[in-house]
Amino acid sequence: MIQSITHLGLLDDETIALDDAALDLAALDHPGIDLAPYRERLDQLSLEIAATGAGARTAPAQAELLSRVLFEEHGFRGDSIDYDDPANADFIAVLDRRRGIPVSLSILYVAMARRTGWSAHALNTPGHVLVRIGTETDPALVDPFNGGPIVDADGLTELLSGVFGTQVTPSAEHLQPMRNRAVLVRLLTNQASRALQAGNAERALILYGRMTVVAPSFGHLWWERARLELTLGDKSAARGSLSAMLEMTRDPVLRTHISAALDALASS
């Protein structure tokens, strides 16, 4: 099954279509599923947005139109009642249930904007993914989880205060756009965290395996994969993960740590 996503690790980041990739990842947990109806549903959504979006020339106007089609007309919204339900990070289930968490709904929002030819990025906002519509110099910040409203400076401060405390001052570092691979990794990391909270290390390892396929150059993913492999007693697999990490790591301090971990495994 993992072979069905190997192409994602080979693509240039900017050529990854987030909605297609999220469907491919979700299909791994739905053996035998036909993705054609889901792709058709996404196509129809984008056609609806394009049909009514010709006059939306500013970022706020584009954000308002996306919110109206996705949230008011089609009923997509954040699942605030069962937030930790794994279905909220499964893109197939998100399309079926029209419920999700910030990162999964951001994938939908960004994908629909890009299909319409608009600039859109998921932002690496701590604790709660936001979406930027428009350019960095003339943006509209949007909260897909809460129905797609535009987030102003006060709203951003309130959001960040839940993570950093009331003394936080919003800055550019809180609004860094994520590359496509990083968005997919954040989606999978959410699922892995839920699995670990439930005590299911086997499931978490499966998800980290997917992450290292999608983003093989993200060294920290290999480290966590190796840790889980050791937890489950597979030293050989852990050595393979650490060796893969060593091959792509140039930082001398980190290379020393990896080599020490490999030496410890060899002598254990």
Side-chain angles (χ1 to χ4, degrees):
M1 289 289 288
I2 200 75
Q3 289 82 2
S4 64
I5 63 167
T6 53
H7 66 287
L8 295 176
L10 302 174
L11 292 173
D12 291 335
D13 191 90
E14 60 273 13
T15 66
I16 296 174
L18 283 174
D19 49 349
D20 281 343
L23 280 178
D24 287 338
L25 288 168
L28 295 173
D29 294 319
H30 300 265
I33 195 167
D34 181 6
L35 291 180
Y38 293 92
R39 300 195 195 281
E40 290 171 6
R41 194 178 310 173
L42 292 168
D43 289 343
Q44 184 60 41
L45 281 173
S46 66
L47 287 173
E48 288 184 37
I49 294 167
T52 56
R57 303 187 185 282
T58 66
Q62 292 165 0
E64 188 280 330
L65 188 144
L66 285 164
S67 177
R68 175 160 53 83
V69 173
L70 294 175
F71 302 104
E72 294 179 20
E73 297 179 7
H74 288 273
F76 286 95
R77 55 182 42 84
D79 190 347
S80 57
I81 297 175
D82 294 311
Y83 188 93
D84 291 333
D85 187 336
N88 288 322
D90 177 321
F91 202 60
I92 289 172
V94 169
L95 294 178
D96 284 338
R97 300 167 64 246
R98 305 189 186 197
R99 297 291 186 274
I101 52 175
V103 64
S104 58
L105 292 172
S106 292
I107 288 172
L108 177 65
Y109 205 98
V110 168
M112 291 300 103
R114 289 176 176 174
R115 282 171 175 245
T116 312
W118 300 336
S119 175
H121 292 84
L123 302 179
N124 194 27
T125 319
H128 191 97
V129 179
L130 298 176
V131 168
R132 186 186 78 200
I133 302 296
T135 64
E136 185 175 1
T137 57
D138 187 25
L141 301 184
V142 177
D143 182 359
F145 183 79
N146 289 305
I150 293 178
V151 180
D152 60 15
D154 289 340
L156 181 60
T157 300
E158 182 179 354
L159 177 66
L160 293 174
S161 67
V163 179
F164 298 111
T166 57
Q167 303 304 311
V168 66
T169 300
S171 66
E173 70 176 307
H174 301 131
L175 299 172
Q176 290 299 310
M178 286 189 281
R179 294 180 66 82
N180 292 323
R181 275 193 178 81
V183 177
L184 297 174
V185 166
R186 186 152 174 171
L187 179 71
L188 292 168
T189 299
N190 181 281
Q191 297 178 51
S193 296
R194 299 286 180 266
L196 287 171
Q197 289 169 7
N200 191 345
E202 292 85 356
R203 170 66 176 168
L205 178 56
I206 288 170
L207 290 160
Y208 271 96
R210 294 173 188 176
M211 286 185 241
T212 54
V213 171
V214 171
S217 64
F218 288 23
H220 67 284
L221 301 177
W222 290 102
W223 185 270
E224 185 62 19
R225 176 174 168 172
R227 188 190 70 78
L228 287 167
E229 287 162 343
L230 277 178
T231 297
L232 294 170
D234 193 341
K235 292 182 180 180
S236 177
R239 283 194 294 270
S241 294
L242 289 172
S243 296
M245 185 180 178
L246 188 63
E247 288 182 7
M248 65 189 66
T249 301
R250 296 295 171 263
D251 180 85
V253 175
L254 187 53
R255 287 181 64 85
T256 298
H257 286 308
I258 300 167
S259 296
L262 284 168
D263 289 343
L265 279 175
S267 60
S268 64

